[in-house]
Amino acid sequence: MTSKNHIVFFDTTLRDGEQSPGCTMHAGEKLRMAHKIAELGADILEAGFPIASDGDFESVRTIAREVRGPKIAALARCKKEDIDAAARAIEPAATSRIHTFLSTSDLHLAAKLQITREQALDQIGEMVAFARTFTDDIEFSPEDATRTDPDYLCKVCEVAIQAGATTLNLPDTVGYCVPQEYAEMFRMVLERVPGAKDIVLSAHCHDDLGLAVANTLAAMEAGARQVECAINGIGERAGNAALEELAAIMMVRKDKMPYSNNIVMEKLFEASQLLTQCISFGTAPNKAIVGANAFAHASGIHQHGVLANPLTYEILTRESVGYKGQAIVLGKHSGRRALEHRLKELGHKLSKEELNAVYTRFTTLADRKKAIYDQDILGLLHESMTEVANVS
Ligand code: MN
């Protein structure tokens, strides 16, 4: 249980995010990101899926041993061996959670699991109770909840709560819902499921229709008090709800979203940048909150307005999310030091060799282009990092 108006941030960058194409990280990168996620103030850090591989098991265990602050969660299917592996992996953590899941839509039950609704209910009850023997913090997710028959979904939730689930996550696994519909599901569960008001309901949304953040907000308004999200919105297919967007909305629109959370806003930009160093793609320049252009003004009318009063075209300042203002514009006369300085402001501390590699590309680009903007610099950095990775 949590206080009425506090939103728990459940970060799944290292699980749902990491399992998506181009986002695979090695153990060292996962640990580095985990420390950053802790600095960012996430309440729960889902570190991985221990049964998936020995590597994932070890990496969850390392994070559990070394990262302090967030509660460390590990994912497990509703299977004994999965739950066993998850429990062993999170064992060194100061505080931990087992997150177990089973599909509940008829489509998934028939096509994927080949079990009946009744068998699924038994399995959920048994495995949630089994997970409870390791820790008293258990999250259960009925996978594909949004395409599950509503009456059956209520039954599933009731069984999970009775077996000891303390958080109930209702995922829009395929990113199919629209906001009103997603909110209604939460209201229904709160109204109809015995015990639902005494546990935490959680939203987990995918962005297949570009609605992950909107759906998450709708769930919050309907009573969800945990939001599952990932830095830069990474995750399966079109990704998960973006952590930085949810946090920024709650800050900028406190009038409409009067909830507290523990996210340290000034860390958003550097967390976003660190992630782009660990995975194989950056953020789109126009990405909300953390994109290189999110605070850039190019049109004359906008530039004039912002110079007169930033509020004319800015609803939050770049400083508030930790984005350092562009004090000097780089061009072909800029030296290595200026480039190094700007990269540092953008959150990237490079070795001498790395800086040299970026600088070589920089001078080539500066010969062709008058002014070099942040998105250019981040692009160059990304290109040279990819090259280094391919060579080594
Ligand atoms: Mn997911």
Side-chain angles (χ1 to χ4, degrees):
M1 246 186 302
T2 179
S3 85
K4 218 167 95 247
N5 289 321
H6 187 77
I7 301 294
V8 169
F9 270 71
F10 178 108
D11 180 285
T12 189
T13 306
L14 300 179
R15 201 279 298 165
D16 203 318
E18 205 262 346
Q19 75 191 42
S20 61
C23 295
T24 309
M25 290 174 237
H26 59 63
E29 289 167 329
K30 280 189 82 172
L31 182 61
R32 233 176 126 199
M33 271 317 297
H35 280 297
K36 190 57 78 184
I37 292 163
E39 277 176 37
L40 195 54
D43 303 276
I44 323 263
L45 187 166
E46 189 166 48
F49 189 16
I51 195 79
S53 70
D54 290 345
D56 218 25
F57 177 90
E58 278 311 323
S59 131
V60 174
R61 198 168 160 87
T62 307
I63 291 169
R65 194 173 55 232
E66 298 194 13
V67 177
R68 287 296 173 263
K71 193 170 269 192
I72 308 299
L75 188 69
R77 289 168 299 186
C78 271
K79 288 184 171 193
K80 260 201 159 131
E81 59 269 34
D82 281 42
I83 293 168
D84 253 328
R88 276 186 288 121
I90 57 175
E91 188 259 326
T95 51
S96 59
R97 166 180 294 185
I98 295 174
H99 176 196
T100 185
F101 71 99
L102 189 79
S103 285
T104 51
S105 65
D106 286 332
L107 180 64
H108 279 221
L109 288 177
K112 196 177 91 171
L113 301 173
Q114 290 154 348
I115 57 173
T116 65
R117 285 184 178 187
E118 285 63 38
Q119 285 171 317
L121 281 179
D122 289 344
Q123 198 175 332
I124 292 164
E126 259 172 55
M127 288 301 115
V128 169
F130 178 61
R132 264 306 283 257
T133 63
F134 297 101
T135 164
D136 55 11
D137 188 322
I138 304 297
E139 172 169 334
F140 174 72
S141 295
E143 193 186 351
D144 207 18
T146 49
R147 292 190 302 175
T148 298
D149 170 66
D151 291 337
Y152 179 64
L153 180 65
C154 286
K155 191 75 205 147
V156 164
C157 292
E158 188 180 342
V159 166
I161 293 172
Q162 274 174 2
T166 45
T167 296
L168 205 54
N169 179 48
L170 305 176
D172 185 23
T173 304
V174 291
Y176 172 74
C177 250
V178 293
Q180 312 86 293
E181 189 184 18
Y182 196 54
E184 267 163 38
M185 181 177 66
F186 282 80
R187 286 197 196 94
M188 172 189 77
V189 167
L190 277 170
E191 219 166 85
R192 289 178 45 187
V193 177
K197 291 189 177 79
D198 305 321
I199 57 142
V200 176
L201 291 187
S202 165
H204 178 112
C205 298
H206 279 272
D207 212 31
D208 299 69
L209 296 175
L211 287 171
V213 167
N215 284 342
T216 304
L217 296 180
M220 267 163 56
E221 288 206 89
R225 287 296 174 267
Q226 173 177 289
V227 293
E228 302 201 352
C229 49
I231 297 166
N232 297 346
I234 65 168
E236 291 279 11
R237 306 181 311 280
N240 286 96
L243 180 147
E244 62 278 4
E245 293 177 22
L246 289 171
I249 292 163
M250 288 166 67
M251 180 178 85
V252 175
R253 297 310 308 270
K254 232 180 171 30
D255 56 329
K256 296 284 177 196
M257 300 274 149
Y259 311 112
S260 61
N261 67 69
N262 293 330
I263 296 299
V264 183
M265 297 299 292
E266 301 74 34
K267 296 275 178 190
L268 286 176
F269 191 73
E270 63 181 70
S272 163
Q273 286 300 311
L274 180 62
L275 180 63
T276 66
Q277 280 181 34
C278 298
I279 62 177
S280 64
F281 55 89
T283 51
N286 64 336
K287 167 77 184 65
I289 317 302
V290 291
N293 285 354
F295 299 98
H297 303 280
S299 95
I301 293 171
H302 286 217
Q303 284 180 338
H304 175 220
V306 167
L307 288 171
N309 181 346
L311 290 175
T312 50
Y313 289 102
E314 281 178 4
I315 56 166
L316 77 168
T317 64
R318 58 183 69 203
E319 291 79 16
S320 65
V321 297
Y323 185 108
K324 308 282 190 323
Q326 195 165 13
I328 45 170
V329 174
L330 298 179
K332 69 174 174 185
H333 302 296
S334 306
R336 214 172 292 247
R337 289 291 148 258
L339 178 67
E340 185 182 24
H341 179 75
R342 188 70 204 132
L343 279 163
K344 225 171 133 190
E345 283 184 329
L346 291 169
H348 301 275
K349 224 175 153 253
L350 305 190
S351 70
K352 211 173 151 205
E353 293 71 37
E354 289 166 337
L355 180 67
N356 283 342
V358 182
Y359 187 70
T360 308
R361 288 168 189 274
F362 172 82
T363 51
T364 313
L365 183 66
D367 274 336
R368 288 191 283 118
K369 212 167 170 260
K370 262 195 193 139
I372 310 285
Y373 296 105
D374 286 348
Q375 74 263 32
D376 301 318
I377 297 174
L378 294 173
L380 294 172
L381 172 70
H382 190 68
E383 274 174 33
S384 45
M385 289 301 198
T386 316
E387 194 182 84
V388 170
N390 289 341
V391 169
S392 60

